[in-house]
Amino acid sequence: MVRTPSGGAGHGTAGGDRLVSIGSVLTQLRDEFPEVTISKIRFLEAEGLVEPRRTPSGYRKFSPEDVERLAQVLRMQRDHYLPLKVIREHLDALARGEQVPAPAQGAPRDPYDLGSEPEPDRPTAARVGRSELLAAAEVTEEELAEWESYGLITPAAEGGYDAESVTVAKLVADMGRFGLEPRHLRAMKAAADREAGLVEQVVAPLRRHRNPQTRAHAEATTKELADLSVRLHAALVQTALGVRLP
């Protein structure tokens, strides 16, 4: 992708020459686009509409040109109802110095819509059998049965276990080496269920939406909120214990 010149500085979405974080980008854009979210910015990046720089630790850093390009994308969606593919091709052509006419206006769409591309195929979540779980986690049948009785691990409704159950089993086993029994870990499971419930409250309306891209956005939002929840939980535990984990 070729970056477009900053162009519309008159809109006030990009200022100064320094690189800024995704949170600062959100603040700059929200005056004109109050519905924009960090998830949407990341979605637009994944779709090739913008390419922020990355720090050695992996954090996104946006230039004024990146911010203005995002504003152009959002403006073309809002004002001309254009799909992302058309917007990307138009902006890239302009960045190459080509004289291209403005794309034909599309049909009005829902404000939650992120584009008109078909809904991406989603791979089915991997499943493992009981014997595979026991072997991968290196635990016994008795241990697994006990963990299931406390709700720490739950078989899928269609049979088998999701791949993350292997990670859960390994972590439960590791904590057991410090004398923590399954009954001690029920509080962690209850807290995780409550956090999942909060995430579900946010994304449920998007998942029920008729537009496939809105439903895809719900999945991206779920992943982002899950990541933030895990990081917040870790930070709270570290703060409570007065330690700093690597």
Side-chain angles (χ1 to χ4, degrees):
M1 184 192 77
V2 182
R3 287 190 176 85
T4 182
S6 56
H11 291 281
T13 55
D17 296 326
R18 63 188 183 87
L19 300 179
V20 297
S21 68
I22 193 169
S24 179
V25 173
L26 185 66
T27 300
Q28 293 181 49
L29 293 174
R30 269 193 167 161
D31 283 346
E32 185 177 351
F33 309 100
E35 77 286 354
V36 73
T37 64
I38 286 179
S39 292
K40 184 161 185 176
I41 295 173
R42 289 177 175 171
F43 177 83
L44 294 175
E45 177 190 354
E47 291 295 307
L49 273 301
V50 67
E51 290 181 355
R53 295 161 179 78
R54 294 276 185 163
T55 67
S57 56
Y59 290 102
R60 296 170 176 84
K61 290 295 181 180
F62 295 80
S63 68
E65 291 78 14
D66 292 328
V67 181
E68 181 56 34
R69 183 173 172 113
L70 284 169
Q72 288 177 299
V73 171
L74 295 170
R75 213 170 280 129
M76 293 176 78
Q77 278 193 301
R78 181 194 63 196
D79 299 341
H80 302 288
Y81 314 110
L82 295 173
L84 295 181
K85 181 179 179 181
V86 173
I87 295 173
R88 181 174 60 247
E89 291 173 350
H90 178 73
L91 293 180
D92 286 349
L94 290 177
R96 292 191 298 269
E98 299 176 14
Q99 298 298 318
V100 291
Q105 181 163 315
R109 65 186 69 209
D110 189 274
Y112 279 112
D113 190 9
L114 296 176
S116 65
E117 295 83 347
E119 184 175 12
D121 293 330
R122 295 195 192 121
T124 303
R127 291 276 186 266
V128 297
R130 192 175 188 85
S131 60
E132 294 174 298
L133 175 59
L134 293 170
E138 300 180 339
V139 299
T140 66
E141 173 69 40
E142 291 74 18
E143 288 174 319
L144 179 56
E146 184 182 16
W147 299 343
E148 288 179 323
S149 70
Y150 283 97
L152 299 175
I153 294 178
T154 306
E158 59 270 30
Y161 302 82
D162 60 48
E164 198 63 27
S165 293
V166 176
T167 301
V168 173
K170 288 180 177 179
L171 291 171
V172 171
D174 287 342
M175 297 189 80
R177 298 189 183 100
F178 292 88
L180 291 172
E181 301 177 8
R183 60 189 176 88
H184 299 137
L185 304 180
R186 285 184 297 182
M188 292 185 178
K189 178 62 167 62
D193 289 342
R194 288 193 295 271
E195 291 170 16
L198 289 174
V199 173
E200 185 61 31
Q201 287 180 29
V202 174
V203 301
L206 299 178
R207 283 187 175 143
R208 293 193 297 266
H209 205 275
R210 60 180 173 80
N211 186 279
Q213 280 294 335
T214 301
R215 295 196 295 272
H217 182 49
E219 298 306 310
T221 301
T222 299
K223 292 177 182 178
E224 181 179 356
L225 286 174
D227 176 65
L228 291 172
S229 178
V230 169
R231 289 163 56 190
L232 175 60
H233 181 84
L236 290 172
V237 171
Q238 292 178 54
T239 299
L241 294 175
V243 298
R244 178 71 181 174
L245 299 180

